[in-house]
Amino acid sequence: SQQGEEDPQALSIQEGENATMNCSYKTSINNLQWYRQNSGRGLVHLILIRSNEREKHSGRLRVTLDTSKKSSSLLITASRAADTASYFCAAAGGGGSYIPTFGRGTSLIVHP
Amino acid sequence: KAGVTQTPRYLIKTRGQQVTLSCSPISGHRSVSWYQQTPGQGLQFLFEYFSETQRNKGNFPGRFSGRQFSNSRSEMNVSTLELGDSALYLCASSLGRSEEKLFFGSGTQLSVL
């Protein structure tokens, strides 16, 4: 079963706009990770936020975590056409396993 | 450092055949995980190997198996292929400790006809 579930499934924006993707998970976690995947390729790790953290920044990325709501969000500011990709959240530490469990992803298209 | 290498990149097989996929992790990484990715189900965890031992296993039938060698390279095998096994198979490596990010290969795209 999916531990992480992203919302929306698809997002289409113009270059320069911000993109927000949400992730919900089911059980308690140790950490939550976000990955990016370009079409048909492997995933690339973007950011990891631990369960005792509420917010984390990395360049144009901002991740928040609300453990009471079992949810996380990924904000990409000032989007570029090169940000076009699928974005996945992966929850780890649920049920005692540290193996990241992925959602189905959000497909982001940034129009130039 | 070289990244995670998966071979072959593409495979076409017919139902009933078997297939072996290979993954070479980043040097020094002892953990190798395998995931199946399909449009409908997203990424599903298959299994994880650490120091030649299967440490975690997902919810897949016994037709899916794997192994890891002493140099940390890993193979996964799917026997008696079914149409539904068509997918992108991704391998990821890490040092094998908790709270770690995974480094993914580009995957093997398997098509079963």
Side-chain angles (χ1 to χ4, degrees), chain B residues 63-105:
Chain B
R63 300 186 297 106
F64 292 81
S65 63
R67 59 178 175 168
Q68 187 179 35
F69 303 94
S70 58
N71 61 358
S72 292
R73 189 177 71 86
S74 178
E75 289 181 347
M76 70 162 279
N77 184 278
V78 187
S79 62
T80 319
L81 284 166
E82 300 177 359
L83 295 179
D85 297 333
S86 294
L88 180 66
Y89 289 88
L90 293 163
C91 156
S93 78
S94 72
L95 292 170
R97 302 178 301 218
S98 64
E99 294 195 353
E100 267 196 295
K101 62 183 181 181
L102 300 179
F103 293 83
F104 281 84

Side-chain angles (χ1 to χ4, degrees), chain B residues 8 11 19 26-27 34 37 48-49 51 58 63 67-68 75 83 88 98:
Chain B
L11 262 179
V19 67
I26 290 172
S27 177
W34 289 89
Q37 184 178 24
E48 182 225 4
Y49 285 86
S51 293
R63 300 186 297 106
R67 59 178 175 168
Q68 187 179 35
E75 289 181 347
L83 295 179
L88 180 66
S98 64

Side-chain angles (χ1 to χ4, degrees), chain A residues 1-2 30-31 33 35 37 39-45 48 50-51 88 97-104, chain B residues 9 31 33 35 37 40-45 48 55-56 88 90 96-102 104-106:
Chain A
S1 64
Q2 304 297 131
N30 184 282
N31 67 81
Q33 303 174 36
Y35 289 80
Q37 182 182 37
S39 181
R41 308 297 291 183
L43 281 73
V44 175
H45 182 267
L48 181 154
R50 293 184 172 79
S51 60
F88 294 84
S97 170
Y98 64 86
I99 298 294
T101 308
F102 289 80
R104 292 183 174 85
Chain B
R9 183 73 179 94
S31 169
S33 298
Y35 289 84
Q37 184 178 24
Q41 295 297 317
L43 275 90
Q44 303 271 331
F45 171 70
E48 182 225 4
R55 192 162 65 168
N56 288 282
L88 180 66
L90 293 163
R97 302 178 301 218
S98 64
E99 294 195 353
E100 267 196 295
K101 62 183 181 181
L102 300 179
F104 281 84
S106 294

